[in-house]
Amino acid sequence: MSTPNPAATPTFMVFATLRDDTDLAEFAALREDEQKQLEVLRSQGRIGAHYVSPARRATFVEVVAADEAEVAETLATLPFARFFDAEVYPTTPPDPAELAHRARS
């Protein structure tokens, strides 16, 4: 997969909640691997913002992808993916300020 052009590629917001049957010890053991993969995806321009809400057992991830199938492919590379139920929301194209921010990143 080639590195997407952030100015031309659509973005999606992924809202994911931790499954009730998650083995928290296994989850914790994969934390470093998850962080490393997020950095790889960021460096490839495939992941933007990433927020975690521990109190709600939820995460929000901005994914830069051509379509929802590509979003699923990106998410599947994350070690934590199997612990979450995810919903994918297409977002509006980035405004000029967001494009400028992405160009600096």
Side-chain angles (χ1 to χ4, degrees):
M1 174 188 296
S2 63
T3 302
N5 173 353
T9 307
T11 60
F12 298 81
M13 184 54 68
V14 177
F15 168 69
T17 54
L18 193 63
R19 292 190 183 111
D20 289 335
D21 64 350
T22 296
D23 178 333
L24 295 179
E26 183 181 3
F27 183 83
L30 291 172
R31 184 171 308 278
E32 187 175 325
D33 293 338
E34 176 80 359
Q35 292 303 314
K36 286 179 183 175
Q37 181 61 12
L38 284 168
E39 287 305 316
V40 167
L41 294 170
R42 278 189 194 102
S43 73
Q44 295 172 347
R46 295 169 61 189
I47 292 283
H50 176 237
Y51 301 98
V52 178
S53 174
R56 297 291 179 114
R57 298 170 51 111
T59 188
F60 303 85
V61 182
E62 178 188 36
V63 179
V64 180
D67 53 34
E68 289 191 35
E70 194 173 302
V71 171
E73 290 172 16
T74 297
L75 293 176
T77 70
L78 292 168
F80 282 179
R82 69 177 180 257
F83 302 114
F84 285 91
D85 290 320
E87 296 179 47
V88 177
Y89 299 90
T91 59
T92 58
D95 62 24
E98 178 61 20
L99 290 174
H101 169 75
R102 290 180 187 187
R104 289 188 303 270
S105 298

